[in-house]
Amino acid sequence: MPKLNKTGSTGPSRTLKNALNRLTLPLPLALSRSKLRGYATAAAIGYTKRLICRPRQAILASNGWPLGECRKKLNGKEMITSPHALSQKFSNDDLPDQFIIAKNTEITCPSSWVRFSFRGFTITCHPDLPCSPINDNQGKLVGYVIGQYITEESGIYGNLSLAGNEEKVVDTFVSKISGRFVVVVETSEGPRVYLDPCGSLPVVYASEDGIVATSPLLIPYNERTRDDVEMLEVMDVWARNAMYPLGLTPRIGVYRLLPGHYLDLNNWQSVRHWPNATLTEVSDIPAAIDEIAFLLKSSIESLIQKHDVQMSLTAGQDSRMLLSCVRDWTDSVKLFTYRLPDDMGEFDCFLARKIARKVNIPHRIIPTLSASEEEREAWLFRTGCSVGEMRGLDAVPMVKQLDRDRVFLPGYVCEFGRAYYWKASGVSSQTPKCDISAEILLKICHAPNLPKMLQAANDWIARVPFDDAGRVMDLFYLEQRIGCWASAMSPGYSGMSLFELWPMNNRRILDLILRLPPDYKMSARMNRDVISSNWPELLEFKFNKTGLDFKIYSTLTNPRNAFRKIFRKVGLA
């Protein structure tokens, strides 16, 4: 590793020398001196981009335990990156749509948050996050649903009645609710916390302190729950795309509850309750696709009866599939597209405009905006430094342009039906489970092979109820990518729309997708088949594939970029 100077960087002269030593590009003999300097500078920036961000020294809290580097440089600007330091800068008032469940009634929360008592626990919720009572058949309080929910029988915010407290009865009750919620309920075995099917309202917990919360930074700091400096330094979630694997967080003693698991509040153990057995493969694929589409439309219809909605539209499959399911309620829908600062972002805007004109739905382009350091730090605080998502982090001011009176319906989980992680892991339905290694899983997470991470991955593999690697990777997608990436990221955008609800977040939908035949998943036909059965005209536009019309449009609207690409191809740039 290069030696760092007093400012923590490698210094311009050393950087330039290292860059020139590594410069292996074929340079034309007639290359000008200024051109050479340009190549050298570009190489220097690329080589040192991560080196200048390396931590300089660990910092100790007043009680002596390490916190890690509090401030680091990114693109020449300093940011607060330590969870503890962020918790000192921001307050819990900056955590909309979050909650705490604690045995200790002395937990400090903002005065505006709403409190409930249940079986020796105190539930404290942000005022914008609903907390609805669950009653048994005699009208006795047996629990709460925290968040926005849709029941099969009575739609959104419907009556919540539990017919019994046996484990099977409770699991059936939870499985028939969709939306964005957490269930706190008294069962025959004691109080438990259940997630919604995808864990879209995140839950972390500190067993020894008896606390459940949405964010690691809602859990008070002490010797048992200090920052995990080792993981913070290697994960670098403030500077790269990465996911803490399989329940780990940047805090020691604080763990994330994964989708399909409940938390037993008697012994503070996480237990998988779904799927817990071998699943029977779907025999009638068209019927399964029709049911998935029906369930999607039912959830959206229930939601639209109470709220107007907004949806993102891109050139991809997922947003198009959701759009096909709102055909009957277009008067309540508005579409938008982020103008992300790259070629794909520009193509998203180009194609989305064409589709919106075709279906006659209001559509707007949200212009490119880049997050300030303050906005980046606030996003890290809200997410508890639990996830790295560079595009999402920089897009915070763009997300703030959403309509705050409308519910946002993102396309999370739509890719679940096309074997998303099979190719990344090199498996098929014929691959045995034993071929899945902890190292493969950590590579997908962009996480290093630290002992604690390897242990978490090996423990997860041992608990998976499937024998074939294909379904193992499907479950890993659901519990890791959705539970530890999408869910962990969602609090970063809370308050920027009325609330966020994932239409695919339905136990029956997930069950059907898990049971689709392997060949069908590998063909990636599910999204197209849902669109075909609901709004086939949307298939007139190819997915993520630029045509001559876009190339002409791009050249006319941005000729400088077009010529730059040409010069790059012929080796002149």
Side-chain angles (χ1 to χ4, degrees):
M1 173 179 173
K3 294 180 180 179
L4 304 182
N5 61 25
K6 292 180 180 179
T7 64
S9 72
T10 56
S13 60
R14 183 181 296 274
T15 295
L16 187 57
K17 182 178 179 181
N18 289 341
L20 289 171
N21 288 339
R22 288 162 174 77
L23 192 61
T24 59
L25 297 173
L27 302 177
L29 294 176
L31 195 63
S32 68
R33 185 173 299 176
S34 62
K35 195 76 170 180
L36 178 59
R37 282 200 300 269
Y39 274 121
T41 302
I45 292 172
Y47 177 65
T48 62
K49 183 177 179 181
R50 287 186 58 80
L51 294 183
I52 63 173
C53 300
R54 291 283 176 88
R56 286 161 278 179
Q57 59 182 0
I59 295 176
L60 299 181
S62 57
N63 59 7
W65 36 267
L67 294 179
E69 177 61 37
C70 288
R71 303 185 71 89
K72 297 183 181 179
K73 282 189 176 182
L74 181 65
N75 298 330
K77 296 181 180 180
E78 279 198 342
M79 286 175 55
I80 298 176
T81 57
S82 154
H84 185 272
L86 288 168
S87 71
Q88 300 300 302
K89 176 174 180 176
F90 297 96
S91 75
N92 290 348
D93 288 316
D94 299 310
L95 295 173
D97 288 352
Q98 302 211 26
F99 69 85
I100 300 176
I101 304 171
K103 282 185 176 180
N104 182 1
T105 57
E106 302 302 319
I107 294 293
T108 302
C109 289
S111 58
S112 61
W113 287 30
V114 184
R115 288 188 171 228
F116 304 87
S117 294
F118 179 71
R119 302 297 191 269
F121 291 87
T122 299
I123 303 173
T124 312
C125 300
H126 184 276
D128 291 341
L129 189 66
C131 188
S132 307
I134 306 171
N135 297 314
D136 63 14
N137 291 338
Q138 285 73 46
K140 178 184 175 183
L141 179 70
V142 294
Y144 287 95
V145 173
I146 303 172
Q148 296 84 11
Y149 65 92
I150 301 171
T151 64
E152 286 186 359
E153 294 80 12
S154 48
I156 190 166
Y157 310 133
N159 182 51
L160 296 166
S161 180
L162 187 59
N165 63 357
E166 296 82 8
E167 182 171 355
K168 186 175 181 180
V169 174
V170 173
D171 184 70
T172 300
F173 169 81
V174 173
S175 72
K176 292 186 177 182
I177 308 175
S178 59
R180 174 178 174 264
F181 63 87
V182 165
V183 174
V184 187
V185 62
E186 180 72 32
T187 74
S188 57
E189 303 299 323
R192 293 176 178 174
V193 174
Y194 285 83
L195 298 173
D196 63 47
C198 293
S200 64
L201 186 59
V203 165
V204 296
Y205 60 95
S207 303
E208 294 190 33
D209 289 50
I211 301 175
V212 178
T214 38
S215 167
L217 295 190
L218 276 170
I219 295 174
Y221 273 85
N222 56 47
E223 176 62 27
R224 297 181 300 275
T225 59
R226 63 187 186 274
D227 286 347
D228 192 321
V229 176
E230 181 184 25
M231 285 206 294
L232 278 166
E233 301 297 4
V234 298
M235 290 300 288
D236 271 354
V237 297
W238 55 276
R240 69 188 187 96
N241 296 327
M243 303 178 278
Y244 279 89
L246 299 166
L248 296 178
T249 76
R251 300 271 302 274
I252 293 172
V254 178
Y255 300 94
R256 186 171 300 280
L257 189 61
L258 300 179
H261 292 68
Y262 66 76
L263 180 64
D264 188 324
L265 295 181
N266 280 336
N267 58 23
W268 291 86
Q269 296 297 309
S270 169
V271 180
R272 179 182 282 113
H273 64 95
W274 180 88
N276 53 16
T278 302
L279 301 175
T280 304
E281 189 174 287
V282 165
S283 58
D284 189 341
I285 295 175
I289 298 304
D290 287 345
E291 186 175 356
I292 290 170
F294 171 78
L295 292 169
L296 280 172
K297 292 189 289 185
S298 296
S299 292
I300 293 170
E301 181 181 17
S302 295
L303 186 63
I304 285 178
Q305 288 175 357
K306 292 282 187 180
H307 305 288
D308 288 335
V309 302
Q310 55 194 330
M311 301 168 61
S312 170
L313 182 59
T314 69
Q317 301 182 37
D318 303 337
S319 63
R320 199 103 48 97
M321 185 178 86
L322 289 187
L323 177 60
S324 74
C325 293
V326 301
R327 184 173 189 173
D328 296 334
W329 308 284
T330 54
D331 290 344
S332 299
V333 178
K334 284 187 177 179
L335 302 174
F336 68 88
T337 304
Y338 298 120
R339 188 183 292 278
L340 295 170
D342 52 37
D343 290 344
M344 198 63 236
E346 190 60 43
F347 182 57
D348 283 340
C349 295
F350 174 78
L351 192 61
R353 278 192 293 255
K354 294 182 66 174
I355 295 172
R357 285 196 296 267
K358 173 79 174 180
V359 300
N360 195 29
I361 297 179
H363 174 261
R364 65 181 174 127
I365 303 295
I366 296 180
T368 302
L369 296 169
S370 186
S372 66
E373 302 312 309
E374 183 78 10
E375 288 172 321
R376 289 169 179 267
E377 290 172 356
W379 190 90
L380 288 170
F381 172 69
R382 287 183 170 193
T383 59
C385 296
S386 297
V387 61
E389 169 53 48
M390 293 301 96
R391 258 188 160 195
L393 176 59
D394 198 46
V396 168
M398 299 170 71
V399 182
K400 287 181 178 178
Q401 306 305 308
L402 297 184
D403 191 331
R404 299 197 180 191
D405 295 326
R406 288 177 175 266
V407 179
F408 174 40
L409 306 182
Y412 292 131
V413 200
C414 292
E415 59 199 3
F416 188 36
R418 51 180 189 265
Y420 189 81
Y421 273 162
W422 291 25
K423 291 181 181 179
S425 57
V427 307
S428 69
S429 58
Q430 283 73 43
T431 307
K433 173 183 173 181
C434 61
D435 283 4
I436 301 294
S437 68
E439 289 79 6
I440 289 175
L441 301 186
L442 295 183
K443 183 178 179 181
I444 293 173
C445 298
H446 301 285
N449 294 334
L450 290 182
K452 66 185 73 176
M453 294 185 175
L454 288 169
Q455 184 65 49
N458 281 318
D459 289 347
W460 183 86
I461 293 171
R463 295 194 308 268
V464 171
F466 304 135
D467 294 325
D468 64 284
R471 280 191 177 153
V472 171
M473 295 312 299
D474 282 344
L475 196 59
F476 182 68
Y477 168 90
L478 181 62
E479 297 186 5
Q480 175 62 41
R481 181 172 174 83
I482 300 303
C484 301
W485 177 74
S487 172
M489 184 170 54
S490 63
Y493 310 110
S494 291
M496 300 179 193
S497 59
L498 186 60
F499 59 85
E500 179 179 293
L501 190 143
W502 308 352
M504 290 285 288
N505 192 8
N506 180 295
R507 171 84 72 83
R508 178 59 178 167
I509 290 177
L510 301 181
D511 180 78
L512 286 168
I513 293 175
L514 268 178
R515 296 193 294 114
L516 288 172
D519 291 344
Y520 182 79
K521 290 181 186 178
M522 288 295 290
S523 70
R525 285 166 42 202
M526 188 192 83
N527 298 53
R528 289 176 170 84
D529 288 348
V530 170
I531 297 170
S532 178
S533 65
N534 290 278
W535 206 338
E537 291 81 4
L538 295 178
L539 292 175
E540 294 175 10
F541 306 91
K542 294 181 180 180
F543 298 115
N544 292 322
K545 189 173 182 180
T546 59
L548 180 60
D549 54 350
F550 174 71
K551 292 177 182 178
I552 294 173
Y553 166 83
S554 180
T555 301
L556 293 175
T557 56
N558 194 350
R560 178 179 297 180
N561 188 50
F563 283 114
R564 187 182 297 118
K565 290 180 182 178
I566 294 173
F567 290 154
R568 190 181 300 127
K569 285 184 178 180
V570 298
L572 297 178

